[in-house]
Amino acid sequence: MFALCDCNNFYASAERLFRPALKGLPIVVLSNNDGCVIARSEEAKLAGIRMGDPEFLIRDLLKKLDIHVFSSNYVLYGDLSERVMSNLSRWFPTVVPYSIDECFAWAGGMDNLDNYVVLVRQEIIKNTGIPVSIGIAPTKTLAKMANKIAKKSGGTCVLSTSDDITNAVAQFPVEDLWGVGRQYYQKLAALNIQTVGQLRDLPEGWFKQHMTIQGQRLWNELWGRPMLSLGDPPPKAKGLSVTRSFSGYIEQVDILCEAVTAYASRLAEKLRTEKMCCQFLEVFLLTNKHREDHPQHYPRHTHRLPIASNNTLDIVAAATRVARMLFQYGIKYRKAGVIATALIPEHELQFHLFQRHDPKADKLSEILDHLNMAYGRGTVRIASEGYKKQWRLKHEHLSAGYTTRWEDIIKVS
Amino acid sequence: MIRKVQQRAQQTISGFKSPADDYLEGRLDISDVLVIDPHCTFYFRMDGDTMSGFQIPHGSLLVVDRSLRAIDGAIVIACWQGKLLCRSLNFSPCGAASLQSSNGIDPIAKDANLEVWGVVIAVCYNVMPKGLLKGKYRNVCAL
């Protein structure tokens, strides 16, 4: 049996936990750089705000409907997510987080799951303050479905017998099923298949023919035969990237290089946590495609590093060199990205015949990581990142680090 | 900033090996006795003197645990009319809950909107006279 615990409207719930005055009021959370809506409270959904709505288009509407707007506060969400999953792991010994607000758990060999899961849900909500729903079923696909049913019926749903499952699939709309994308949905709609029950009744051969191996797995999972294991690790990244928009436009090469330095240092840090080195470094720049009156320019270039590397100095030097080469005067850049590709594990590094590898830079990066871990991210950094950081992300509606910074803890009277 | 890395003297001994080497234990850590359940613990700061009669002076750091069920006499973080308050929770013999502050001026009667956010399990504050609040000692239980 698999359990799936999912936080309800997670980002909105997290903001509300520390602002109880917002209980029952509509909330939206914006993406990085305050671009578009990425999370909504139930009330905001009812008010007609859609996922992905760009903030600048709905600004007046948000004001008119008195909707509270937050920038995404990933420091807060990350901490609360960890609390939810740690609490869950006390009740289900093996948990595997699936995303920031969803977590699979192994629920096999337990009696009386129906009552148990109600208790677990109450405890998690009490201990963390984050409302969750839990679905349990014999396969991951069905657990995902049970979770969606739970959201609409008291917060828990256990599908343990084949009758439970048959009843559930008969009513569950096929477009809400995990693993059915828009493409398949259209195919199924053409066949007049609306419920998961109807889908499940198709012969296995149909899945093989129309939905490849994934479809065959899906079919088995719907019949209660697990094809996906709990800990299926996500495929190891083939590439890593740091891509961000600027708060405004960048028209000067030096400022662009500051931003690229910052992105490249972050990328090098990511590579080191993954214990990977990259052989190629791609840098790209973008202008704002929505502004047809601006000259458009979106150059990219891939640079081969002489020796695969993950130290900050090498990565920054290469990335800024490429950025300088790509930059053109008179263009307003909106976004830049640094992408590391052709990753190889640190310990499989091959050295260059004619180029000496300088271990100093690796050591420096190691010290950098130690210091930044102990004293907080960004304590020691490359000076070419600059100090003003005018390009830095916009987050005008950012809430505080209530659980991660002493200076931000809430005052009570 | 709170120092997270403890400076320790180099332990490479050039002369005799320390006889204590085989008996080293981790040094006491105050959070062992203040934070019982880290996944359910949150921190708040007392603002004002409403709870000074309960030995919670202005500026105290409150250790709050959400996993406990509040009972009569518990100091709680309560959510009332959209505000977070630190108060003593009291139940009358008939079971009606009320919030009490030390000066007793504003006992908040139970109403439908009263909600317990968490239970205060410990209170920390700085007891040094002003003359000692210098340098890194400014950080004792401070923002």
Side-chain angles (χ1 to χ4, degrees), chain A residues 81-256:
Chain A
S81 162
E82 205 182 289
R83 287 169 186 261
V84 169
M85 290 170 192
S86 306
N87 268 285
L88 181 71
S89 71
R90 293 176 177 174
W91 303 87
F92 294 106
T94 320
V95 298
V96 179
Y98 178 70
S99 67
I100 192 165
D101 58 353
E102 285 169 288
C103 187
F104 280 107
W106 178 242
M110 288 176 175
D111 288 336
N112 204 357
L113 271 172
D114 292 272
N115 293 331
Y116 187 69
V117 73
V118 171
L119 174 75
V120 172
R121 175 171 175 268
Q122 281 168 359
E123 280 293 310
I124 294 177
I125 295 175
K126 188 185 72 175
N127 291 356
T128 63
I130 299 293
V132 297
S133 309
I134 305 179
I136 297 184
T139 67
K140 272 179 145 178
T141 307
L142 289 172
K144 197 91 179 167
M145 189 180 83
N147 188 283
K148 287 217 168 153
I149 298 171
K151 282 227 156 79
K152 289 181 185 135
S153 58
T156 62
C157 171
V158 180
L159 305 176
S160 44
T161 67
S162 60
D163 284 350
D164 292 343
I165 298 172
T166 309
N167 288 335
V169 294
Q171 290 166 27
F172 200 78
V174 79
E175 70 258 41
D176 290 344
L177 187 67
W178 193 37
V180 173
R182 182 144 286 277
Q183 217 184 337
Y184 285 129
Y185 172 58
Q186 273 158 6
K187 219 181 245 186
L188 295 170
L191 288 167
N192 202 22
I193 288 175
Q194 276 145 11
T195 69
V196 176
Q198 291 171 318
L199 177 69
R200 198 172 76 147
D201 286 336
L202 291 172
E204 187 180 7
W206 186 90
F207 283 86
K208 251 190 211 167
Q209 203 184 338
H210 292 95
M211 292 175 81
T212 68
I213 185 76
Q214 303 275 356
Q216 211 177 339
R217 265 188 216 153
L218 179 70
W219 183 75
N220 275 300
E221 287 250 317
L222 290 178
W223 281 102
R225 292 185 284 272
M227 291 287 124
L228 303 166
S229 68
L230 186 65
D232 272 343
K236 194 97 181 152
K238 289 204 188 94
L240 284 172
S241 65
V242 176
T243 300
R244 274 163 213 170
S245 339
F246 315 126
S247 51
Y249 294 108
I250 288 186
E251 295 177 84
Q252 285 163 286
V253 69
D254 291 331
I255 295 177
L256 176 72

Side-chain angles (χ1 to χ4, degrees), chain A residues 5 224 300:
Chain A
C5 174
R300 51 175 63 221

Side-chain angles (χ1 to χ4, degrees), chain A residues 17-18 20-21 23 80 83 86-87 90 125-129 374-375 403 406-407 409-413, chain B residues 2-5 37 39-47 61 66-67 79 82 85-87 115 117 143:
Chain A
L17 179 60
F18 296 94
K23 207 174 155 184
L80 291 172
R83 287 169 186 261
S86 306
N87 268 285
R90 293 176 177 174
I125 295 175
K126 188 185 72 175
N127 291 356
T128 63
Y375 294 100
T403 60
W406 286 116
E407 60 272 29
I409 65 173
I410 289 188
K411 285 182 177 167
V412 289
S413 50
Chain B
I2 289 160
R3 258 191 102 79
K4 288 185 190 140
V5 180
D37 191 342
H39 301 310
C40 309
T41 301
F42 295 83
Y43 304 97
F44 287 83
R45 162 118 10 224
M46 186 70 213
D47 190 31
L61 180 66
R66 281 188 65 103
S67 70
C79 172
L85 305 168
C86 177
R87 292 287 186 275
E115 202 183 305
W117 198 98
L143 284 172

Side-chain angles (χ1 to χ4, degrees), chain B residues 35-87:
Chain B
V35 180
I36 303 307
D37 191 342
H39 301 310
C40 309
T41 301
F42 295 83
Y43 304 97
F44 287 83
R45 162 118 10 224
M46 186 70 213
D47 190 31
D49 283 317
T50 29
M51 289 299 280
S52 51
F54 290 86
Q55 278 112 50
I56 306 178
H58 169 69
S60 302
L61 180 66
L62 311 173
V63 183
V64 175
D65 192 314
R66 281 188 65 103
S67 70
L68 293 172
R69 197 171 60 86
I71 58 164
D72 182 55
I75 307 281
V76 298
I77 300 297
C79 172
W80 188 70
Q81 291 190 335
K83 270 188 286 190
L84 290 169
L85 305 168
C86 177
R87 292 287 186 275

